[in-house]
Amino acid sequence: SFKVQDLFLDNVSCQFGRFELALGNQRIISKNNWNSTGRTFEGFLISENLFDKFDLKTFSFGINEKINDYHDDRKDSWLNGVYLTSEITPLDKSSYELYFIDFTNSEDIDSYTTVGARIDANLSLFDLEGEYAIQTGKNISSSSLLSLNLGFQPKNTSFLNKATLGFDYVSGDDSSTNSLEGFSKFFGARHKFHGFYDYGLHKSFMNHSHDGLRELNAKIYLNLLFKSKLLIAVHNFKSGVNDINYGNEIDFIVKRNISDHLSFESGLALYKPESIEDKDLLYFSYLALTANFK
């Protein structure tokens, strides 16, 4: 990819070619670096600063992610959008984001528009991270996403780093209606949220015809010896429609920065599904060493 800075106007840059893009908390547009393939986009991205207060990104990407097998340019799919970010002036380390993203597929039935907002608010001992988005299309209605996460970060406490309580909702499709109500996270993070165990029913929302999700989670971040950190997370998963109980998960994740360029991470996830076919306790463990050279 190529990036040109301040070519025609000050505080404006243009990037074009093939590159990664992560917007907000990556629920809607992500790099997907937590899977084995990652994701890149092909097109252009214009970034500009307005009045020293707003950061505006405008983008247009040609899409080919196994959506169709056409080899006809007239049937190309496009992802276009604008993404606005601004600081919340009275609050330290706080911001809000507004976005409008349009996905135009060669098949009209799959085209849809996403409109949403996200906030990061630092309130002394507490912080709030939340996002709400809706999707509309030719055959899509009442499709929405909601995420609320309240964190508590005590001062003068060496052991407890942070505790959070979260709720996530992804609307599901009501089969009794003619429209589709499921919220599609096709270009968003597929494995960053909703636990570490790869339980497919609450991991990937690639279209509008799924059962959705209602999730409650609680997380505790602890400081350990040797500058290590421990995350303990508990999740309860249910469907957005049809009242399906997916089960519960508990995670134990240890992280440590060995040096400025080398980090260590190890995790254990225990999942107890509620399905009739499989009531055994499922587990997943991993070990990762990451080297970063600049």
Side-chain angles (χ1 to χ4, degrees):
S1 67
F2 299 88
K3 188 172 184 179
V4 181
Q5 182 73 35
D6 300 335
L7 179 60
F8 299 109
L9 296 172
D10 293 337
N11 300 320
V12 177
S13 67
C14 181
Q15 185 174 4
F16 55 95
R18 175 180 292 181
F19 51 89
E20 295 178 326
L21 181 64
L23 295 178
N25 209 12
Q26 303 192 46
R27 293 186 179 95
I28 305 299
I29 302 290
S30 75
K31 299 187 295 185
N32 264 3
N33 281 349
W34 33 83
N35 65 18
S36 60
T37 59
R39 171 188 288 137
T40 56
F41 295 96
E42 295 179 340
F44 71 86
L45 170 70
I46 298 175
S47 303
E48 55 185 308
N49 181 270
L50 303 174
F51 314 112
D52 295 325
K53 185 176 181 180
F54 302 101
D55 290 321
L56 178 66
K57 297 183 183 296
T58 305
F59 56 86
S60 180
F61 302 125
I63 300 299
N64 181 21
E65 284 202 41
K66 298 181 179 179
I67 296 175
N68 56 50
D69 296 323
Y70 295 130
H71 298 279
D72 187 340
D73 291 341
R74 294 171 299 178
K75 297 182 179 180
D76 285 348
S77 300
W78 292 91
L79 185 69
N80 306 309
V82 292
Y83 204 99
L84 179 71
T85 304
S86 178
E87 294 183 356
I88 302 177
T89 307
L91 302 178
D92 183 40
K93 297 179 180 179
S94 301
S95 63
Y96 68 89
E97 300 161 359
L98 305 173
Y99 53 85
F100 176 91
I101 300 172
D102 181 70
F103 173 57
T104 303
N105 196 1
S106 55
E107 301 178 13
D108 289 340
I109 190 174
D110 295 325
S111 300
Y112 58 89
T113 298
T114 304
V115 180
R118 197 179 81 85
I119 185 172
D120 267 313
N122 185 353
L123 308 171
S124 186
L125 296 179
F126 296 91
D127 61 74
L128 173 68
E129 191 272 336
E131 186 163 1
Y132 179 73
I134 60 174
Q135 288 178 343
T136 60
K138 184 177 181 180
N139 295 303
I140 301 166
S141 66
S142 303
S143 176
S144 62
L145 174 146
L146 173 65
S147 181
L148 294 173
N149 299 279
L150 179 64
F152 170 67
Q153 192 164 6
K155 296 181 179 180
N156 303 320
T157 303
S158 59
F159 184 66
L160 177 60
N161 184 282
K162 186 177 181 180
T164 65
L165 183 65
F167 171 75
D168 280 276
Y169 171 78
V170 179
S171 66
D173 179 46
D174 184 356
S175 58
S176 64
T177 66
N178 294 326
S179 61
L180 296 171
E181 292 86 12
F183 189 93
S184 173
K185 293 175 63 178
F186 189 88
F187 300 103
R190 300 176 188 174
H191 291 81
K192 182 181 179 182
F193 305 101
H194 318 316
F196 284 78
Y197 194 87
D198 195 8
Y199 201 68
L201 293 177
H202 61 70
K203 282 293 181 183
S204 298
F205 304 99
M206 303 293 289
N207 51 43
H208 301 277
S209 59
H210 51 75
D211 286 319
L213 176 70
R214 286 173 294 157
E215 176 194 348
L216 287 173
N217 61 74
K219 301 176 183 178
I220 297 177
Y221 301 82
L222 304 175
N223 296 320
L224 303 181
L225 298 175
F226 309 110
K227 298 181 179 180
S228 300
K229 297 184 183 299
L230 171 65
L231 164 63
I232 302 175
V234 179
H235 307 261
N236 173 259
F237 303 106
K238 294 182 180 179
S239 65
V241 294
N242 300 325
D243 198 26
I244 305 171
N245 189 355
Y246 293 140
N248 303 287
E249 176 179 335
I250 183 169
D251 309 309
F252 303 90
I253 311 297
V254 177
K255 296 183 179 182
R256 180 174 184 266
N257 291 327
I258 301 173
S259 69
D260 292 338
H261 304 288
L262 188 64
S263 62
F264 163 90
E265 181 174 333
S266 180
L268 172 66
L270 303 174
Y271 194 99
K272 186 66 171 66
E274 292 295 330
S275 64
I276 298 176
E277 296 82 3
D278 190 357
K279 285 185 174 290
D280 294 333
L281 183 66
L282 307 176
Y283 70 92
F284 167 73
S285 60
Y286 70 93
L287 171 65
L289 289 172
T290 303
N292 183 17
F293 299 99
K294 295 183 180 179

